[in-house]
Amino acid sequence: MNASLRRIGVVGGGQMGAGIAEVCARAGLDTVVCEADATAADAARDRVTASLARAVGKGKLDRASAEAALARLVFTGSLDDLADRHLVIEAVVENPDVKTEIFAALDKIVEDPEAILVTNTSSIPVMRLGMATRRADRVIGLHFFNPVPVLPLVEVVASLHTAPETVTAVEDFAATLGKTVVRSRDRAGFVVNALLIPYLLSAVRMAESGFATAADVDAGMELGCAHPMGPLKLADLIGLDTVASIAESLYEEFKEPLYAPPPLLQRMVQAGLLGRKTGRGFHTYVPTAGADARS
């Protein structure tokens, strides 16, 4: 096992991947971000640059530190550029087939047999991804929360094959990023989403039935329960496609009706009404520059 995980790779430069890359670079780590092609890689760079600029504007980061972080980042459209990495974090769309394909490819590309392959999945079994490789003992889940530069939590998820040394190394890595770790067993939803998703789906069903408007559902939880954000606003922030994917994974594993995605949620995803990143979900937003449908 690598004593020092200094060369980091991130696969996916969308909302989550860009945030993960940013916190790695801000922690002083040499970070390569891989996207589907050069155009997407440029968009990922713009996403990180804009986030760093916001941090500077809010006084949370000085300009020199932001420039130093950006200098530690390389953006590419080729997985082959991750060959020399000590640790690679997959942060692409929440689709098990896509993630499995990426892990199989990374297993062949990443040269160091002791390198760790990490998934940022919020619901897909880590075991499934590990079994797509020849190094299941060095495959682990590290689930970040959005926005990654702001929220301090990560879930560490070991499969039945994950070696104890891998768990220790990744927890140390998370500490380097300034994150607080909670451990979860390898089951759909882990800790946070197993609790959160049924709550969000209940809010969707309430709006779907006409029992209350989306605005009133959110106001009720914000003003009546002191939640910082109502459930439908939160679903919009997460991305309705991601919420639906997590719900489907939970339902597939447990067959509990409360995990089944409601028809309204499915139709909104089919219509491309994904929340903040598309400008419209249960509420309407000004689209964020460079937003996409990645998780």
Side-chain angles (χ1 to χ4, degrees):
M1 194 65 57
N2 286 301
S4 178
L5 303 174
R6 303 299 302 174
R7 294 198 297 272
I8 309 302
V10 179
V11 182
Q15 184 171 291
M16 292 300 295
I20 294 167
E22 178 182 336
V23 297
C24 289
R26 286 173 65 167
L29 302 174
D30 169 1
T31 305
V32 175
V33 181
C34 179
E35 256 290 2
D37 52 40
T39 299
D42 288 342
R45 176 185 289 277
D46 291 344
R47 205 167 284 120
V48 176
T49 301
S51 178
L52 289 168
R54 285 194 297 272
V56 172
K58 293 177 180 178
K60 296 181 178 180
L61 188 69
D62 63 75
R63 189 169 301 280
S65 296
E67 291 174 354
L70 197 57
R72 297 185 190 103
L73 286 159
V74 172
F75 296 83
T76 178
S78 174
L79 279 177
D80 290 338
D81 291 332
L82 303 179
D84 68 342
R85 302 290 92 182
H86 295 141
L87 181 147
V88 178
I89 304 169
E90 167 274 314
V92 302
V93 64
E94 193 73 355
N95 179 300
D97 294 331
V98 173
K99 289 181 183 288
T100 300
E101 183 179 340
I102 286 173
F103 270 79
L106 288 173
D107 186 46
K108 297 174 182 176
I109 290 169
V110 179
E111 295 170 351
D112 183 355
E114 298 296 309
I116 298 173
L117 304 182
V118 174
T119 178
N120 180 54
T121 183
S122 51
S123 61
I124 296 166
V126 175
M127 176 64 77
R128 173 172 179 172
L129 303 178
M131 293 303 288
T133 75
R134 297 161 295 177
R135 59 178 93 190
D137 60 323
R138 289 181 290 280
V139 174
I140 191 168
L142 185 62
H143 179 217
F144 293 81
F145 292 84
N146 182 44
V148 178
V150 175
L151 295 186
L153 186 72
V154 292
E155 293 176 309
V156 170
V157 186
S159 79
L160 293 173
H161 280 312
T162 306
E165 312 93 88
T166 302
V167 176
T168 299
V170 168
E171 288 184 341
D172 290 346
F173 168 70
T176 298
L177 303 184
K179 300 299 184 183
T180 298
V181 169
V182 294
R183 288 192 184 186
S184 171
R185 292 188 177 181
D186 186 17
R187 46 175 270 174
F190 313 139
V191 174
V192 174
N193 280 320
L195 295 169
L196 175 64
I197 294 301
Y199 163 63
L200 299 184
L201 298 183
S202 179
V204 173
R205 293 187 185 101
M206 187 170 282
E208 180 178 49
S209 70
F211 187 85
T213 66
D216 284 347
V217 169
D218 284 338
M221 296 310 294
E222 291 169 9
L223 303 179
C225 295
H227 287 201
M229 184 179 294
L232 298 176
K233 288 180 183 176
L234 180 55
D236 281 350
L237 176 63
I238 294 168
L240 301 188
D241 52 339
T242 301
V243 172
S245 293
I246 299 169
E248 288 162 2
S249 294
L250 285 163
Y251 184 71
E252 181 180 349
E253 181 142 318
F254 300 110
K255 300 300 188 291
E256 293 280 356
L258 78 164
Y259 293 134
L264 176 59
L265 179 62
Q266 294 174 318
R267 296 297 179 273
M268 292 177 75
V269 172
Q270 291 166 358
L273 306 177
L274 307 181
R276 282 185 178 273
K277 59 190 171 185
T278 59
R280 180 181 165 194
F282 287 98
H283 302 278
T284 302
Y285 308 89
V286 176
T288 301
D292 61 18
R294 295 196 171 209
S295 60

